[in-house]
Amino acid sequence: MISMLSGLVFDRDEDSLHIETHDIGYQVFVPLSLLAQYTVGQKIKLRIFTHVREDLIQLFGFESKVQENMFRSLLKVNGIGPKVALGILSSADSDQFKSMIESKDVKALSRLPKVGKKTAEQILLKLGELDWEQRRQKEEPAILENPVAKKLKLALVNLGFSASDVHDVVMGLDLKQPFEDNFKNSLAQLSQM
């Protein structure tokens, strides 16, 4: 699974960036606010959500952990798939969306693309009690205190990788996987940075 991607933007579509990394091109669907920030030839680094179905694999890119968490949370709502979740994040920035949730504004939510009243109510039901920033602050220390995370960080920093790059990569790992798998995955990601 790809959790981070960095490289050069070599092409753009109406809803995606094409990123070249080591002579391989990846199409990454991104929120419109992010799409507007990049032009062909610019260097980019994104957090990646890999969506796998029987008939396709799609990559969705985000500039922050908070934005990625919002996307993942939206996927838990009945009737919302990756493209609809991305459309929601394209139509409302993180603060606007959080404000709609906190104020339980069904009308504002139902005006988002492909979100009717019923889906808006589902969003409030599933996400109404979430605070993504607070959740990130709770999750991050827990991950960093994990003995596997500590061992990985130490091993990777000792190999000469920067502590901040190692931190970013380790934060995106599934630490329930075997150490060796996470180590190989981390090395692959860090070698592309």
Side-chain angles (χ1 to χ4, degrees):
M1 182 173 83
I2 299 170
S3 65
M4 186 280 301
L5 193 61
S6 66
L8 289 178
V9 176
F10 72 90
D11 200 4
R12 290 164 38 105
D13 291 328
E14 62 185 29
D15 58 357
S16 62
L17 295 170
H18 297 261
I19 301 170
E20 179 186 346
T21 301
H22 299 288
D23 298 325
I24 299 173
Y26 298 91
Q27 181 181 25
V28 182
F29 296 94
V30 296
L32 294 180
S33 59
L34 190 56
L35 186 67
Q37 293 177 35
Y38 290 92
T39 58
V40 172
Q42 280 188 294
K43 191 170 167 89
I44 189 170
K45 180 178 176 181
L46 296 174
R47 303 183 73 82
I48 299 292
F49 173 83
T50 307
H51 176 65
V52 180
R53 279 193 345 210
E54 233 178 71
D55 57 341
L56 91 148
I57 298 173
Q58 293 176 315
L59 304 179
F60 293 84
F62 308 95
E63 58 189 341
S64 70
K65 183 75 173 171
V66 171
Q67 196 175 46
E68 182 186 3
N69 281 342
M70 290 176 77
F71 178 82
R72 288 176 180 271
S73 296
L74 280 166
L75 293 181
K76 295 175 183 173
V77 177
N78 290 338
I80 295 184
K83 288 292 186 95
V84 173
L86 193 66
I88 290 170
L89 294 179
S90 292
S91 300
D93 67 31
S94 302
D95 292 334
Q96 290 172 325
F97 185 67
K98 281 193 236 181
S99 175
M100 289 177 202
I101 299 288
E102 288 166 2
S103 62
K104 302 192 183 312
D105 193 342
V106 174
K107 282 187 180 181
L109 285 167
S110 60
R111 285 194 295 268
L112 293 169
K114 299 188 180 178
V115 176
K117 186 179 180 208
K118 193 172 184 177
T119 305
E121 289 168 350
Q122 284 290 318
I123 290 172
L124 287 177
L125 187 65
K126 281 277 190 188
L127 310 183
E129 302 304 314
L130 287 182
D131 179 339
W132 289 279
E133 187 61 31
Q134 196 174 51
R135 190 173 82 178
R136 182 191 66 77
Q137 289 170 358
K138 284 179 186 171
E139 286 174 353
E140 192 165 304
I143 289 170
L144 296 179
E145 291 300 314
N146 182 302
V148 175
K150 285 182 177 180
K151 187 176 172 184
L152 272 169
K153 286 184 84 170
L154 183 63
L156 294 165
V157 168
N158 285 340
L159 287 174
F161 294 106
S162 81
S164 64
D165 285 347
V166 168
H167 173 83
D168 289 345
V169 168
V170 170
M171 287 302 298
L173 295 175
D174 177 2
L175 297 174
K176 293 176 186 150
Q177 298 296 317
F179 175 85
E180 295 77 17
D181 292 349
N182 276 324
F183 185 73
K184 287 177 191 174
N185 189 6
S186 299
L187 280 177
Q189 291 181 50
L190 287 164
S191 65
Q192 295 177 12
M193 296 174 93

